[in-house]
Amino acid sequence: MEWDEYLTLVQKLKNECSSRTHLGQARSASAVAWSVQKYLIFGILSCVPDRQRTLRELRIGKTLFKEEDKWVIRHGPNDYKTGKDYGVRPPLVISSHLYPMLEEFISTHRSHLKPKHDFLFSRKNGEQFDGQGIYRLFTSASMRLTGKRTNPHLIRDMVVTHLRGTDAS
């Protein structure tokens, strides 16, 4: 999958966040919450191409913060794989186009997933995501919407490949 295809996939996931089906029928609050969460997971990775652990371990006030007018992910040395070598990371800024949906998810949708923990994202049963859960979420959604499989690590590779073709440092 190419980078532009991934961004199209993220847009398709956003389009699935409607409270009504394509036939106009109402969707359950938990189904909408699941769609919003999926869009946010893919969307955050599109602007913060980090390891899937970052997505699994996001906690408001611990690794996810609203600072002034932006949402950022902050990692201390124990919050990411190479933290013991590199220490505190510079903040990872989430793209502002995700803010309205992120704030709505936090204030409304998240509770419909009945989380049994304080992490931002939950599996359908309310448990915390594990690595396999995030991996399956990516592979199934990408296959369903594009006919191609992707996973969080491949997205990191896509970003690097995409940036090599630009003037980015």
Side-chain angles (χ1 to χ4, degrees):
M1 180 179 297
E2 299 294 323
W3 184 240
D4 60 333
E5 292 175 294
Y6 180 74
L7 296 178
T8 300
L9 169 60
V10 174
Q11 185 58 47
K12 288 179 180 180
L13 289 168
K14 182 179 183 182
N15 294 341
E16 292 183 343
C17 294
S18 175
S19 60
R20 300 229 166 246
T21 68
H22 66 284
L23 299 173
Q25 298 168 322
R27 295 176 67 213
S28 70
S30 62
V32 173
W34 182 254
S35 294
V36 171
Q37 174 177 264
K38 197 176 339 175
Y39 162 67
L40 288 170
I41 289 171
F42 278 72
I44 289 171
L45 209 56
S46 74
C47 57
V48 179
D50 204 5
R51 289 179 170 81
Q52 54 102 347
R53 175 183 172 185
T54 295
L55 298 169
R56 286 187 291 124
E57 296 181 358
L58 280 178
R59 285 183 169 141
I60 300 168
K62 184 176 185 313
T63 54
L64 178 65
F65 300 90
K66 185 165 189 183
E67 297 179 350
E68 297 175 24
D69 62 343
K70 60 186 172 193
W71 283 92
V72 298
I73 298 170
R74 291 192 173 275
H75 286 136
N78 296 323
D79 297 324
Y80 69 106
K81 182 178 176 180
T82 55
K84 290 179 179 71
D85 297 326
Y86 296 107
V88 175
R89 253 182 160 173
L92 305 170
V93 180
I94 295 173
S95 180
S96 62
H97 76 275
L98 294 171
Y99 297 174
M101 196 76 84
L102 176 60
E103 291 168 5
E104 185 178 336
F105 179 76
I106 292 167
S107 67
T108 305
H109 298 298
R110 183 177 179 273
S111 65
H112 295 292
L113 298 175
K114 298 182 172 76
K116 301 172 185 171
H117 51 77
D118 66 343
F119 295 97
L120 181 63
F121 299 125
S122 292
R123 294 178 11 207
K124 284 185 175 178
N125 65 2
E127 298 293 334
Q128 177 190 0
F129 268 111
D130 59 11
Q132 280 296 343
I134 291 284
Y135 185 91
R136 281 191 303 273
L137 181 77
F138 273 84
T139 57
S140 63
S142 63
M143 182 57 103
R144 178 175 59 84
L145 293 171
T146 69
K148 297 179 181 181
R149 289 194 189 279
T150 193
N151 63 62
H153 190 78
L154 289 176
I155 294 164
R156 294 182 71 199
D157 292 345
M158 277 186 254
V159 171
V160 170
T161 301
H162 173 72
L163 291 175
R164 283 187 182 140
T166 70
D167 293 331
S169 63

